[in-house]
Amino acid sequence: MLAIGIGSPTLSVRTSTTCNALLRELQQIWNDIGESEADKDRMLLELERECLEVYRRKVDEAANAKARLHQSVTAKEAELATLMAALGDLNLSSPFQTEKRSASLKEKLASVTPLVEDLKMKKDERMKQFADIKAQIEKIDGEIAGYNHVNNTMTSSLALDELDLSLRKLTECQTHLRTLQKEKSDRLQKVLEYVNEVHSLCGVLSLDFGQTVSDVHPSLHGTSMEQSTNISNSTLEGLEQAIVKLKLERKARIMKLRDIVASLFELWNLMDSPREEKNHFFKITSILGSSETEITEPGVLSTEIIEQASAEVERLTKLKASRMKELVMKKRSELEEICRMTHIEPDTSTAAEKSSALIDSGLVDPSELLANIEAHIVKAKEEAVSRKEIMDRIDRWLSACEEENWLEDYNQDDNRYNAGRGAHINLKRAERARVTISKIPAIVDNLIIRTLAWEDEKKMLFLYDGVRLVSILEEYKITRQQKEEEKKRFRDQKKLQDLLLTEKESIYGSKPSPRKSNSFRKPNGYRANGNGSMTPTPRRNSVGSGTPELLTPRSYSGRQNGYFKEMRRLSTAPLNFVAISKEDTMSYASVYGSESGSPRLN
């Protein structure tokens, strides 16, 4: 007989009771029918076989369900392990720990499934982060590469990188992205600096800035907001080459414009151009003293400006050719003025009359003649610089001579000690003049020494208005010595006359002799002041004196050139003391009566 013991005890008892009741009912039916025992056994066997088949089918179905459930649990555990490995999350419970805690497969599956779903969501978020970072990296890489090729390796690396979605890998990608962003920022800053420099250079040169940068890359001057500025290596190299080219062009134009401006200045000075005409080109004349980097004014180096300046130079050159004779005469006058100021004899080959005749005859090119005169001007200026020290000492000597002449005139004034207006000023000047005159011999000797040293150094004679300065100084020394001798002879003669007059008065008696004091006037050197006293003024020659004239460079300047060529010395005319009247004697006494009060000239 069949016995069912599967399931809970209550269910087993109930099932067993039901089966027994059915078997009893089946046996009663068989008894009523009158079935034999053999038929009953046969039908019970068939019934038992059919039950076994049902049980076997159910067991197979349960076994298959178990296998599928176990496979699901295994797959979930494997997926969980994969996700944990990919995400680098080691804090979750392992499948083995889950298996220990769970008794059945359904419990295992129920515990693993939420973990897997949670990790899947976490993986999706991590994938989005990686995808965003990778996309930015690819974009920046493309910008740096100039969009010349598509980076397929980065796209394929997204699928490969699903095996490693850890935070460490994410941090590495973020670090790489920040590095690329920094490089992009630096490149963009460099591009902007290059573009600004190109803009400045194009402004100075008056070139089309848009066309210049567009030739490097259209995005550098694009108006579309969708097109970003290209920062590739080729763009940077193109901008660098453009800047070098513009700087070379700027340098060439500066050199050309400087030559033109130099010619302009030369022609302006030569032609005495008015200020209004010069102001026309004030913008470009300022570049002469400026360096290349300091020239930033827009348009100052444009081709139009250079062409205008060149046209002005050409115009002035033509005008110069038409006024060449006038310019030659002007330069000759300038040369003569320089020579006059420095007491140098100008070159006679370019004299005004001779130059005019040569230009009129057409034998000489006026430009060559003008260049020759300009060369003489330069030479005269250089010589004037080398002569400056000696010329200053000559001026000092001449000033001392002027003071000596003034003192002589002052000593001849009988009213010089009167208490008149300005008398004390003349007394102080006389004292200073005596000190200055005492230094004349030392000044002359020092001047001779320095002049000889100059001649030895320059290997040429130091000429003063065509006469050698050493000869003038030596003659001055001789003349001065002669004058001192004449003064001494005059004083001796005066003593002799006083002795004869004393003897005559002792024999015949004395009588007063008229003297002209208040009415005494000297020519060429005096004018009465408000108090009746005389204020002396400098004079060049001693009028009425028998002493020789002291020759100075100024006295030489007024003589004829023939006199300088002969270099004859001024002879001393002897005094005729017999013909001197008493009245003139008193005059001489007034001139030299105060010699003891002034320093002697040695």
Side-chain angles (χ1 to χ4, degrees):
M1 294 298 295
L2 295 174
I4 301 174
I6 301 174
S8 62
T10 305
L11 179 62
S12 177
V13 171
R14 187 172 59 250
T15 303
S16 178
T17 302
T18 303
C19 289
N20 291 329
L22 290 174
L23 284 176
R24 284 193 298 271
E25 184 179 357
L26 181 61
Q27 286 178 358
Q28 181 63 38
I29 293 172
W30 284 340
N31 291 327
D32 293 339
I33 293 174
E35 292 287 346
S36 64
E37 292 295 330
D39 291 334
K40 291 179 181 180
D41 292 336
R42 180 180 56 79
M43 286 187 289
L44 286 173
L45 290 173
E46 290 179 358
L47 179 61
E48 185 176 359
R49 186 172 55 251
E50 290 177 0
C51 288
L52 288 175
E53 288 178 359
V54 172
Y55 277 114
R56 188 177 292 111
R57 186 171 65 253
K58 293 297 180 180
V59 169
D60 291 339
E61 290 177 0
N64 291 335
K66 177 183 177 182
R68 288 194 299 270
L69 188 60
H70 190 274
Q71 185 179 3
S72 298
V73 171
T74 303
K76 290 293 182 180
E77 289 178 346
E79 186 177 2
L80 178 63
T82 302
L83 290 173
M84 290 174 63
L87 296 175
D89 193 351
L90 302 179
N91 295 325
L92 296 176
S93 299
S94 65
F96 303 103
Q97 295 172 341
T98 305
E99 183 177 1
K100 291 180 181 180
R101 292 196 308 267
S102 302
S104 65
L105 292 177
K106 287 186 177 181
E107 290 178 352
K108 291 181 180 179
L109 183 62
S111 63
V112 170
T113 300
L115 294 177
V116 172
E117 295 300 327
D118 184 59
L119 289 179
K120 280 185 177 180
M121 293 177 61
K122 196 172 183 179
K123 176 183 177 182
D124 292 339
E125 293 177 358
R126 190 73 57 84
M127 286 288 293
K128 289 180 181 180
Q129 292 178 345
F130 271 97
D132 182 56
I133 293 174
K134 295 287 186 180
Q136 294 184 54
I137 290 175
E138 289 179 3
K139 181 180 179 181
I140 296 176
D141 279 338
E143 291 176 354
I144 293 176
Y147 300 103
N148 293 328
H149 62 280
V150 179
N151 197 348
N152 293 323
T153 58
M154 296 299 298
T155 304
S156 61
S157 67
L158 289 176
L160 297 177
D161 284 346
E162 289 185 9
L163 299 178
D164 187 3
L165 300 176
S166 62
L167 292 175
R168 178 187 59 80
K169 184 67 174 179
L170 181 64
T171 303
E172 291 179 359
C173 292
Q174 290 173 342
T175 302
H176 182 48
L177 176 61
R178 284 193 293 269
T179 302
L180 290 178
Q181 289 173 340
K182 176 74 165 53
E183 182 180 356
K184 176 183 177 180
S185 177
D186 294 341
R187 284 174 173 263
L188 185 60
Q189 182 67 26
K190 199 169 185 179
V191 168
L192 293 178
E193 290 177 359
Y194 283 163
V195 170
N196 290 335
E197 189 170 359
V198 171
H199 185 272
S200 177
L201 290 171
C202 288
V204 172
L205 299 173
S206 289
L207 298 177
D208 188 356
F209 166 72
Q211 183 62 39
T212 302
V213 293
S214 295
D215 292 341
V216 177
H217 197 276
S219 66
L220 300 178
H221 192 60
T223 57
S224 176
M225 297 299 295
E226 298 178 356
Q227 188 177 21
S228 61
T229 302
N230 190 278
I231 57 174
S232 63
N233 291 332
S234 60
T235 299
L236 291 173
E237 292 174 0
L239 287 173
E240 289 176 355
Q241 294 175 2
I243 290 173
V244 171
K245 183 179 179 182
L246 291 173
K247 285 184 176 180
L248 291 175
E249 179 66 19
R250 179 182 67 180
K251 184 175 182 180
R253 292 192 185 185
I254 288 175
M255 294 178 62
K256 183 177 181 180
L257 196 56
R258 280 178 175 168
D259 293 339
I260 294 174
V261 171
S263 301
L264 272 178
F265 274 115
E266 181 181 353
L267 290 169
W268 284 340
N269 295 332
L270 197 62
M271 307 293 292
D272 283 336
S273 300
R275 181 177 296 274
E276 294 76 14
E277 190 174 326
K278 296 179 182 179
N279 290 339
H280 222 28
F281 298 91
F282 176 76
K283 181 186 295 185
I284 63 173
T285 55
S286 60
I287 72 171
L288 283 180
S290 304
S291 61
E292 292 184 11
T293 55
E294 292 175 346
I295 301 175
T296 57
E297 185 175 355
V300 72
L301 297 179
S302 63
T303 54
E304 293 79 5
I305 292 291
I306 296 177
E307 289 174 358
Q308 291 176 7
S310 299
E312 180 67 11
V313 170
E314 184 177 355
R315 183 186 72 82
L316 292 176
T317 303
K318 292 179 180 178
L319 185 61
K320 170 186 171 183
S322 63
R323 296 175 54 187
M324 189 57 69
K325 183 176 181 180
E326 179 183 346
L327 294 175
V328 169
M329 295 298 106
K330 176 185 174 183
K331 284 294 180 181
R332 175 63 189 185
S333 300
E334 181 180 349
L335 175 61
E336 291 177 352
E337 179 63 19
I338 294 174
C339 292
R340 185 188 67 80
M341 296 295 295
T342 55
H343 299 277
I344 302 173
E345 284 294 306
D347 182 51
T348 57
S349 63
T350 58
E353 298 80 5
K354 189 173 182 179
S355 299
S356 179
L358 289 174
I359 293 175
D360 293 339
S361 64
L363 298 176
V364 178
D365 185 3
S367 299
E368 295 181 359
L369 188 59
L370 183 62
N372 189 18
I373 295 176
E374 289 177 345
H376 287 155
I377 290 175
V378 173
K379 183 178 179 182
K381 289 181 178 179
E382 292 176 353
E383 186 173 351
V385 172
S386 67
R387 292 162 58 101
K388 185 178 185 305
E389 182 180 0
I390 296 179
M391 292 301 299
D392 291 341
R393 295 181 180 274
I394 291 175
D395 292 339
R396 182 182 173 190
W397 171 44
L398 294 177
S399 177
C401 292
E402 291 289 348
E403 287 298 301
E404 185 179 26
N405 292 334
W406 178 87
L407 186 61
E408 288 181 2
D409 292 339
Y410 177 74
N411 288 334
Q412 294 177 21
D413 184 10
D414 293 336
N415 298 323
R416 62 183 180 275
Y417 297 118
N418 290 348
R421 184 179 180 183
H424 66 288
I425 297 177
N426 289 332
L427 286 173
K428 290 182 179 179
R429 179 179 176 182
E431 289 301 323
R432 290 194 300 269
R434 292 187 185 96
V435 174
T436 302
I437 293 169
S438 65
K439 299 178 182 178
I440 289 180
I443 293 174
V444 173
D445 292 338
N446 184 268
L447 190 54
I448 292 175
I449 293 173
R450 291 188 177 273
T451 304
L452 292 175
W454 185 93
E455 291 179 346
D456 291 340
E457 180 185 353
K458 301 296 182 180
K459 306 299 181 184
M460 59 186 295
L461 298 178
F462 191 100
L463 301 180
Y464 190 95
D465 290 335
V467 183
R468 188 184 181 194
L469 179 61
V470 174
S471 300
I472 297 175
L473 295 172
E474 293 291 348
E475 188 169 351
Y476 174 82
K477 291 176 66 176
I478 294 173
T479 305
R480 187 177 183 84
Q481 185 177 1
Q482 292 175 354
K483 182 176 179 180
E484 293 296 328
E485 292 175 356
E486 288 298 330
K487 288 182 180 180
K488 187 176 182 300
R489 285 200 300 269
F490 176 76
R491 286 193 294 270
D492 294 342
Q493 186 67 27
K494 175 66 171 57
K495 291 179 181 179
L496 180 60
Q497 288 181 351
D498 290 342
L499 182 59
L500 294 176
L501 181 60
T502 304
E503 292 177 355
K504 182 177 178 181
E505 289 178 350
S506 64
I507 298 173
Y508 301 103
S510 60
K511 62 178 181 179
S513 59
R515 296 185 61 182
K516 299 179 181 179
S517 57
N518 293 336
S519 62
F520 179 77
R521 298 179 63 87
K522 288 290 181 179
N524 299 332
Y526 290 90
R527 57 184 176 85
N529 60 18
N531 295 332
S533 62
M534 295 297 176
T535 302
T537 57
R539 63 181 178 84
R540 297 299 179 101
N541 304 320
S542 297
V543 179
S545 173
T547 60
E549 175 189 1
L550 290 180
L551 299 180
T552 64
R554 290 177 181 170
S555 61
Y556 271 92
S557 300
R559 300 176 182 271
Q560 299 297 329
N561 288 333
Y563 171 80
F564 299 134
K565 294 177 181 178
E566 293 174 5
M567 294 296 292
R568 65 181 180 85
R569 296 181 177 178
L570 179 64
S571 61
T572 305
L575 292 172
N576 186 3
F577 291 101
V578 178
I580 297 176
S581 63
K582 185 177 181 181
E583 194 172 279
D584 291 332
T585 301
M586 299 302 294
S587 174
Y588 279 111
S590 66
V591 173
Y592 296 104
S594 62
E595 280 297 316
S596 59
S598 60
R600 294 186 177 273
L601 299 174
N602 298 323

